[in-house]
Amino acid sequence: NAGVTQTPKFQVLKTGQSMTLQCAQDMNHNSMYWYRQDPGMGLRLIYYSASEGTTDKGEVPNGYNVSRLNKREFSLRLESAAPSQTSVYFCASSGPLLAGGSHSYNEQFFGPGTRLTVL
Amino acid sequence: GQQLNQSPQSMFIQEGEDVSMNCTSSSIFNTWLWYKQDPGEGPVLLIALYKAGELTSNGRLTAQFGITRKDSFLNISASIPSDVGIYFCAGHTQGGKLIFGQGTELSVKP
């Protein structure tokens, strides 16, 4: 099992260009997530998909769109890249709740990241 | 919105030393998680805590979930060079989302 895979690993864009970051998981997980990581700010949720066919905004959705193409794949699109979108982007997926009741949690499994620079 | 404050932001230690980092929140979480990110990789789950006051160990790592459910700490004993990386705390929300702390970057001198 490859787990969560992301392409590309690195990308340089000029301001105004568009691109799509690809993510796929082979763990049959229902939920998938896109985060961005910036120095001193941890990981911030951009969009997530609780199940195939649904997507919801996270903490920082502006300037991004997503598509849950099928259960395996969740893509992130930048329509018009800006320098403020220079960041490392991580995709994650999670399966069913572990433990029980109010103390349950979903373990999220992360991909290796895409390092994006917008000039 | 919910925020987690993690400290310290960075640590430079000698191999063999013990390390301690902590996380506080303005909100209550039912579950706290600690992740480690190796250089150039995505975060990997180290420890999950889901009972207030709980102390959990995973090898040289020990984590505690504060009794108020608003804080947690992570200790690493007898650090080794492969402990290098960024450590994140995360609170797990009812909706299944994670709120991350800012991270603690650990450097270990051999």
Side-chain angles (χ1 to χ4, degrees):
Chain A
N1 284 355
V4 180
T5 56
Q6 291 183 236
T7 55
K9 281 191 79 71
F10 301 93
Q11 183 71 48
V12 178
L13 294 177
K14 293 181 180 175
T15 296
Q17 285 186 316
S18 61
M19 80 159 296
T20 299
L21 281 65
Q22 307 287 354
C23 174
Q25 53 92 8
D26 61 4
M27 295 176 281
N28 202 34
H29 285 166
N30 284 326
S31 301
M32 298 185 73
Y33 312 81
W34 275 105
Y35 293 89
R36 59 177 289 172
Q37 181 181 17
D38 302 293
M41 302 192 74
L43 286 89
R44 292 180 293 167
L45 185 64
I46 304 171
Y47 269 94
Y48 67 102
S49 170
S51 61
E52 188 179 350
T54 68
T55 60
D56 284 289
K57 294 179 181 179
E59 183 185 352
V60 289
N62 291 347
Y64 305 96
N65 284 302
V66 290
S67 295
R68 183 75 183 266
L69 305 167
N70 47 55
K71 192 170 186 178
R72 289 188 65 246
E73 297 171 290
F74 189 37
S75 61
L76 178 72
R77 182 157 178 85
L78 286 71
E79 289 292 352
S80 178
S84 60
Q85 294 178 305
T86 293
S87 189
V88 182
Y89 291 85
F90 287 99
C91 177
S93 71
S94 67
L97 290 173
L98 302 175
S102 62
H103 303 299
S104 53
Y105 68 97
N106 302 86
E107 180 175 355
Q108 291 188 17
F109 295 85
F110 287 81
T114 294
R115 188 172 294 272
L116 175 68
T117 301
V118 183
L119 303 173
Chain B
Q2 294 171 308
Q3 287 187 323
L4 296 188
N5 290 310
Q6 187 172 347
S7 63
Q9 277 198 321
S10 61
M11 301 181 76
F12 297 86
I13 62 168
Q14 202 77 30
E15 183 177 358
E17 288 183 355
D18 297 343
V19 171
S20 187
M21 58 193 79
N22 67 77
C23 213
T24 58
S25 169
S26 55
S27 308
I28 288 173
F29 289 102
N30 282 332
T31 303
W32 280 77
L33 307 168
W34 283 94
Y35 279 82
K36 183 196 177 194
Q37 182 182 25
D38 288 328
E41 305 284 335
V44 173
L45 183 66
L46 295 174
I47 288 179
L49 302 157
Y50 49 92
K51 292 179 186 172
E54 177 183 18
L55 190 71
T56 296
S57 293
N58 178 6
R60 293 178 296 105
L61 276 59
T62 302
Q64 183 155 31
F65 189 172
I67 200 76
T68 64
R69 292 189 287 156
K70 288 187 174 183
D71 61 297
S72 177
F73 71 75
L74 176 70
N75 285 346
I76 305 172
S77 62
S79 58
I80 59 178
S82 62
D83 290 334
V84 162
I86 304 177
Y87 292 80
F88 292 101
C89 60
H92 186 278
T93 70
Q94 292 283 66
K97 293 182 283 185
L98 296 181
I99 308 296
F100 283 88
Q102 302 96 326
T104 295
E105 186 162 10
L106 179 64
S107 301
V108 179
K109 247 201 226 179

